[in-house]
Amino acid sequence: MNYFKGRIKMWDVVNESLAADGTLVENVFYRKMGPDYIEQCFRWAHEADPDAFLIYNDNKVEGCGAVETNDGDSCSSDGHSKAPIQAKADGFYNLLKDLVEKGVPIHGAGMQAHFSAGGTKHQRPPTPAMVKRQIRRIGELGLKVNISEMDVRISKLPASADDELKSAAQTQIYQDILSAALSEPSFDGIWLWGFADRHTWVKNFYYDDAPLIFDDKYQRKESYVGVQNALKTLCPGGRVGEMVGGESAQCFLEQDVDENGNAW
C-alpha cells in the first residue's frame, strides 16, 4: 500500500474470513496471527495510507431476515423469514460492529452478491427487503456498504424454464436487489464480477452459465436494462426503490411477502 499511497483510494483489506456459521475461518492468517488478525490488518493498512477508504468484504452475507427481538434488533437467526444464511449475515454484522466499537479504522463493507436465480434453501437469493435491512443496520454503524461482485446465475432454473423466463428472472434479481440497495443512504456503489458472459469466472469454477449483463458477443442483455432501470430510480422523476412491477412491488422494499402472502 505504501507504493500506491495517494493513487489507489479504496482497498479491500480483508476478504472472506467468515465460515457459514458466522465464526472466523481458521485460515493461515488466523493460525499464524491469532483471531485479532483482521483488526491488525486494518490498522496496518491505515498506517500505510491514512487517506485510503478501507473495506471488509465477504460472500453470502447480503440478507437479513425480518424478526423482531427483545433488544430491538430487527435481524436474528431465530424465527421466520430467515435470510438464506442468516448465521453468516449476523456474523458479518457482528464482526463489523466489533471493529467499529474498538475504534478500528474501517470505513465500509462489501457484500459480494453471487446469486443463483434457481437456488433453493441456503442457495436462494435474499429478498430485496433482506438486502435493504442488512445495508441499513451496517449503515447505522457508520459504515458505507457496497455490492462488490454481483452476478446472477441462471442455469440451475428448472429445465422447463425457457430463455425468456430465465432472462426475466435474472433481470428481476438485478433490478430489484439494486433498487432496494439504492434506497438506503449508506449504500455507495456496485461492481459486477465481470463484463460479458464470454469470460465469466462461473464457467471455470462452477458450470456453463450466463450470469452477467452482456452476452458472449458483448451485446446488452435484458438484465442490462434491469440495472439501468434501477439506476434511473435516482434520477429526476424516478422513484427510489422502484422494482419490477412498479407500484404493486413496492411492498417488497420492507417485507418479504405481499398482502396476499406471495413471496418475492
Side-chain angles (χ1 to χ4, degrees):
M1 285 185 64
N2 277 322
Y3 181 80
F4 292 103
K5 183 178 180 179
R7 291 186 287 167
I8 295 180
K9 302 297 185 182
M10 183 178 293
W11 291 85
D12 175 1
V13 178
V14 179
N15 184 59
E16 298 181 5
S17 71
L18 294 173
D21 64 358
T23 62
L24 292 178
V25 174
E26 294 189 13
N27 55 29
V28 62
F29 305 105
Y30 184 100
R31 295 193 300 271
K32 296 295 185 181
M33 299 168 60
D36 294 331
Y37 79 90
I38 298 175
E39 175 182 345
Q40 295 179 55
C41 287
F42 275 93
R43 294 193 187 280
W44 291 332
H46 182 67
E47 182 180 344
D49 188 348
D51 295 324
F53 190 91
L54 308 180
I55 293 173
Y56 175 77
N57 188 60
D58 218 317
N59 61 20
K60 298 181 175 65
V61 296
E62 301 83 7
C64 173
V67 181
E68 292 296 334
T69 59
N70 292 333
D71 60 4
D73 183 7
S74 63
C75 298
S76 171
S77 58
D78 300 318
H80 68 282
S81 193
K82 291 182 182 178
I85 305 184
Q86 185 69 58
K88 190 170 185 180
D90 287 340
F92 183 65
Y93 170 78
N94 290 330
L95 171 61
L96 297 169
K97 184 172 184 287
D98 181 61
L99 292 172
V100 169
E101 289 177 346
K102 289 180 177 178
V104 175
I106 180 172
H107 310 113
M111 309 191 306
Q112 292 182 12
H114 295 295
F115 296 143
S116 173
T120 59
K121 297 182 179 179
H122 70 278
Q123 295 290 342
R124 74 187 191 279
T127 68
M130 290 176 182
V131 173
K132 182 177 173 68
R133 286 191 291 267
Q134 183 73 323
I135 294 172
R136 181 185 297 165
R137 67 169 175 169
I138 294 171
E140 288 171 350
L141 298 175
L143 300 176
K144 294 295 186 180
V145 186
N146 67 71
I147 290 176
S148 58
E149 306 180 15
M150 190 172 186
D151 51 24
V152 181
R153 304 191 297 275
I154 54 175
S155 64
K156 295 302 180 182
L157 284 165
S160 58
D162 58 19
D163 289 344
E164 184 177 354
L165 179 58
K166 290 179 179 179
S167 177
Q170 184 180 68
T171 299
Q172 182 162 14
I173 292 171
Y174 269 113
Q175 180 169 335
D176 288 1
I177 294 296
L178 181 54
S179 292
L182 288 167
S183 71
E184 285 297 316
S186 59
F187 184 73
D188 72 345
I190 178 173
W191 285 263
L192 304 186
W193 208 234
F195 172 63
D197 291 335
R198 178 185 291 271
H199 302 296
T200 173
W201 71 290
V202 175
K203 292 181 179 179
N204 295 322
F205 195 83
Y206 286 121
Y207 34 69
D208 190 41
D209 211 303
L212 296 165
I213 64 175
F214 290 87
D215 65 20
D216 284 342
K217 297 181 180 178
Y218 306 102
Q219 300 300 303
R220 297 173 182 176
K221 296 163 55 177
E222 189 64 28
S223 51
Y224 174 96
V225 178
V227 172
Q228 185 180 58
N229 288 340
L231 295 174
K232 284 180 178 178
T233 67
L234 298 180
C235 297
R239 181 176 180 180
V240 175
E242 186 165 4
M243 302 183 204
V244 173
E247 184 74 31
S248 63
Q250 287 302 108
C251 64
F252 291 121
L253 270 182
E254 299 294 342
Q255 57 197 49
D256 301 320
V257 297
D258 64 16
E259 63 275 11
N260 298 316
N262 299 311
W264 174 77

